[in-house]
Amino acid sequence: MNNQKAVVVLLQECKQILDQLLLEASDVSEVDKSEDQRCRASLPSELRTLIQEAKEMKWPFVPEKWQYKQAVGPEDKTNLQDVIGAGLQPLLAALRASILARDGATAAAIVFLSDRLLYGLDASRPLLQVAKGLHRLQPAAPVAPQLVIRQARVSVNAGSAAPRPPGRAGPGGSPAPRAQRPRREARQSQGR
């Protein structure tokens, strides 16, 4: 399932669903709710635990569990990216289902968990579009710092980073143009 094209197609479908939900204010159907529950129940228990921990914002970046333990055993050295990668297809299906069920917290948690893996598959742009759509649909749903930083990096790399506000240092740390600086010198000289 780690085929980039298949992942991008699923993410684009999620984005289209979000766009449609933004246009029409309809209630969540029982079918969508049950599909959401079915998709999450089909996930391996380790992924369900990770989603719950991500919803609780237990960490700002997807950690490796062994990083936070004093005594590390062999079972603790499982690479989370391997776990997420192995369950990517059902995880993206759960993302789609949680969007349809309008469960923004779960959808945001799934986006957060899949971010690093999808960055490695060069699928960050569609994932970040889904994250933006989730934020527009449910502004109260938390956005992990990892996703905010990823958005900034992708924007800078694409050359589409937001321009600096007026009066801020320009490229190379040069000060703002003279016309934008306060005229303290002029005020001080008038008082003398």
Side-chain angles (χ1 to χ4, degrees):
M1 170 59 194
N2 294 356
N3 176 343
Q4 180 195 17
K5 288 182 182 181
V7 168
V8 169
V9 167
L10 282 169
L11 291 172
Q12 287 172 340
E13 183 181 337
C14 289
K15 174 69 169 84
Q16 290 170 351
I17 292 168
L18 284 164
D19 291 343
Q20 185 178 12
L21 290 174
L22 282 167
L23 294 175
E24 57 186 54
S26 60
D27 292 332
V28 179
S29 71
E30 289 302 317
V31 173
D32 290 338
K33 286 180 184 178
S34 64
E35 178 65 11
D36 182 41
Q37 291 172 353
R38 187 195 63 74
C39 281
R40 276 196 260 164
S42 71
L43 293 173
S45 64
E46 192 167 14
L47 277 178
R48 287 194 308 267
T49 301
L50 287 171
I51 290 170
Q52 186 58 42
E53 289 176 355
K55 283 172 64 172
E56 295 168 3
M57 303 286 292
K58 288 198 173 186
W59 6 265
F61 301 91
V62 176
E64 293 300 339
K65 293 289 184 187
W66 52 266
Q67 291 175 323
Y68 301 103
K69 290 189 175 186
Q70 297 294 332
V72 178
E75 71 282 354
D76 295 321
K77 290 208 176 189
T78 302
N79 185 345
L80 289 185
Q81 295 309 308
D82 293 341
V83 171
I84 294 167
L88 188 58
Q89 183 172 10
L91 194 61
L92 292 178
L95 172 62
R96 181 184 182 282
S98 63
I99 290 169
L100 285 169
R102 290 167 191 76
D103 184 353
T106 300
I110 293 170
V111 167
F112 170 55
L113 287 176
S114 58
D115 171 59
R116 282 189 181 173
L117 180 71
L118 296 182
Y119 176 76
L121 294 174
D122 197 27
S124 276
R125 281 194 191 282
L127 182 69
L128 292 172
Q129 289 173 348
V130 169
K132 283 181 184 178
L134 281 170
H135 183 67
R136 283 196 318 264
L137 186 64
Q138 295 186 344
V143 177
Q146 176 175 315
L147 292 171
V148 174
I149 291 169
R150 177 81 64 221
Q151 178 63 53
R153 285 181 178 162
V154 168
S155 294
V156 166
N157 289 342
S160 62
R164 288 180 192 81
R168 300 280 182 176
S174 62
R178 185 148 185 75
Q180 293 178 353
R181 289 191 211 151
R183 300 189 181 244
R184 184 174 21 192
E185 301 94 17
R187 281 183 264 147
Q188 288 175 350
S189 65
Q190 288 174 352
R192 288 185 188 169

